[in-house]
Amino acid sequence: MLKKIYLLSLLLVLSASTLAQHQQHHHRHGHDHAWGRNDKGLHIVTSFSDFAAIAKYIVQDKGYVEFISDGKGDPHFVPPKPSYAMKMRYADMWVTTGLDLEVWSTTLLDKARNKKIMDGEIGFVAVSDGVPLLQKVDKADRTEGDIHMMGNPHIHTSPLNWKHIARNITIGLQKVDPDQADFYITNRDQFYDMVDRSLFGDALVDMFGGETLDELLRNKTLFTFLDREYQGGKLLNYLGGWLKDAIPFRDKKIIAYHKNWAYFSDTFGLDVAGYVEPKPGIPPSAKHVQNIINLIESQNLELMLVATYFEKATPQMIENRTGIHGVYLPLSCGAAPGTEDIFDLMDSWIQSINEALE
């Protein structure tokens, strides 16, 4: 009897061991699926959550999208975690700004050892291609702080640039998955239309088309054009979308902590009079803070834009000293509740600024 019990116990132990090994194998195999190696279609990894949000509109059910940074931390400095490199190891496409913002990605690409997503390969996408870049620098001078020689890289803060981002992602998808090219182009065009209607409203898009309106806005002639008479009123009466919502703060002078908001300001007509940082990436000195306080008081400035990942002590002190309204905005999708989608992110920015002015 004791021998039977011993044999039964031994059998149970061996069975449990075999099951555990099977589960471990299945877990690894499950990871292979999660990294896009089997039945989930294309695996796309983006540097930032904003690019991921746009990519999802285009790829839809033909693959899935992951990102490295969600904007809760400084996008200039992302730690090269092994888990990030593992995401990239099995990626079919790597989507990055293509400027000098994601310097940290070089280490991840080296660790990932995925040749097809290296710069110059078909799986590498630089979304800044074709974007009219602001704040270009003629020559390097490190005394000027953490400058971006190729231009301001925070391109996602203007909806006008989303269309360039979507175009570049679509080109990448056509290269890595040419059989579905028409599918991606159709989704890209639908995304373009969503952007145009969210930015200008339905009426103007139906009247003039998004491409014409985009050009007028970039050339700073849209509002002059909309001042024309039309059917007993002004064309401006037909403006909708974010541009209409942003009229209360159009042409206002503001303070910004960093140059995150250059493209947003360019699109929505804000004039950045000064920065909390004396130079990009350089912490503000007491003297510089006093100069900013003097500027705010002398020009009666009402708004100060601060990305939420920055330290709060300095801008809050400036608020207390001057009465300026500090508006703390998540820079990227998912950095605050309710901002997982890029359209929701833009809604939240404009709503927050308007609420600060009430």
Side-chain angles (χ1 to χ4, degrees), residues 234-252:
K234 298 281 188 181
L235 277 172
L236 185 62
N237 296 333
Y238 294 86
L239 179 67
W242 290 319
L243 283 171
K244 180 179 180 180
D245 295 341
I247 284 178
F249 55 82
R250 191 165 195 87
D251 297 324
K252 280 194 175 293

Side-chain angles (χ1 to χ4, degrees), residues 110-163:
D110 288 342
K111 290 182 177 179
R113 297 181 180 179
N114 182 350
K115 183 179 178 181
K116 64 184 175 183
I117 64 169
M118 300 296 285
D119 192 355
E121 300 296 330
I122 64 168
F124 180 91
V125 174
V127 296
S128 62
D129 285 352
V131 173
L133 297 172
L134 302 177
Q135 300 174 343
K136 291 182 179 180
V137 179
D138 293 330
K139 61 179 181 178
D141 185 351
R142 301 313 298 178
T143 64
E144 293 302 311
D146 295 332
I147 58 174
H148 295 285
M149 291 294 299
M150 303 167 71
N152 190 305
H154 304 292
I155 59 175
H156 75 282
T157 61
S158 170
L160 289 176
N161 294 337
W162 297 357
K163 294 168 76 172

Side-chain angles (χ1 to χ4, degrees), residues 73-336:
D74 189 336
H76 302 80
F77 305 104
V78 175
K81 296 180 181 179
S83 60
Y84 297 159
M86 193 60 69
K87 285 183 181 182
M88 297 166 69
R89 177 168 296 176
Y90 301 108
D92 298 297
M93 200 165 87
W94 164 242
V95 180
T96 182
T97 308
L99 300 173
D100 55 357
L101 178 57
E102 298 102 316
V103 176
W104 45 265
S105 69
T106 303
T107 301
L108 292 177
L109 285 166
D110 288 342
K111 290 182 177 179
R113 297 181 180 179
N114 182 350
K115 183 179 178 181
K116 64 184 175 183
I117 64 169
M118 300 296 285
D119 192 355
E121 300 296 330
I122 64 168
F124 180 91
V125 174
V127 296
S128 62
D129 285 352
V131 173
L133 297 172
L134 302 177
Q135 300 174 343
K136 291 182 179 180
V137 179
D138 293 330
K139 61 179 181 178
D141 185 351
R142 301 313 298 178
T143 64
E144 293 302 311
D146 295 332
I147 58 174
H148 295 285
M149 291 294 299
M150 303 167 71
N152 190 305
H154 304 292
I155 59 175
H156 75 282
T157 61
S158 170
L160 289 176
N161 294 337
W162 297 357
K163 294 168 76 172
H164 286 282
I165 294 169
R167 178 181 64 84
N168 289 318
I169 290 173
T170 303
I171 291 171
L173 289 169
Q174 290 175 271
K175 290 178 180 178
V176 300
D177 189 17
D179 292 344
Q180 298 296 332
D182 290 343
F183 176 82
Y184 299 132
I185 291 170
T186 297
N187 294 340
R188 177 204 64 190
D189 291 345
Q190 290 175 351
F191 178 78
Y192 284 178
D193 188 62
M194 289 177 63
V195 174
D196 290 334
R197 293 180 184 279
S198 297
L199 184 57
F200 302 104
D202 290 333
L204 287 181
V205 173
D206 290 338
M207 292 166 69
F208 302 107
E211 189 173 341
T212 297
L213 296 169
D214 284 357
E215 185 175 355
L216 289 168
L217 184 56
R218 281 200 188 276
N219 293 338
K220 307 292 190 295
T221 56
L222 176 67
F223 283 85
T224 301
F225 175 76
L226 295 181
D227 198 44
R228 295 181 180 182
E229 296 290 333
Y230 180 77
Q231 294 186 349
K234 298 281 188 181
L235 277 172
L236 185 62
N237 296 333
Y238 294 86
L239 179 67
W242 290 319
L243 283 171
K244 180 179 180 180
D245 295 341
I247 284 178
F249 55 82
R250 191 165 195 87
D251 297 324
K252 280 194 175 293
K253 284 190 174 184
I254 67 164
I255 296 294
Y257 194 106
H258 179 74
K259 294 184 177 181
N260 304 96
W261 309 105
Y263 296 96
F264 179 88
S265 298
D266 189 63
T267 295
F268 293 104
L270 291 168
D271 180 5
V272 182
Y275 296 94
V276 175
E277 289 180 324
K279 296 174 182 178
I282 305 298
S285 64
K287 181 180 179 180
H288 180 73
V289 170
Q290 185 57 54
N291 289 339
I292 290 295
I293 289 172
N294 294 342
L295 177 64
I296 293 168
E297 292 176 340
S298 66
Q299 299 193 22
N300 296 315
L301 304 183
E302 300 178 80
L303 284 173
M304 176 173 56
L305 301 187
V306 183
T308 50
Y309 67 81
F310 283 112
E311 55 89 15
K312 306 297 190 299
T314 303
Q316 287 173 352
M317 184 267 284
I318 293 172
E319 284 185 84
N320 294 334
R321 291 276 299 276
T322 65
I324 196 171
H325 299 292
V327 187
Y328 299 84
L329 303 176
L331 183 62
S332 291
C333 294

Side-chain angles (χ1 to χ4, degrees), residues 50-69:
D50 315 288
F51 303 155
I54 293 172
K56 287 176 183 178
Y57 279 98
I58 303 165
V59 73
Q60 293 192 20
D61 63 350
K62 303 304 180 188
Y64 73 109
V65 186
E66 294 185 282
F67 55 84
I68 301 299
S69 173

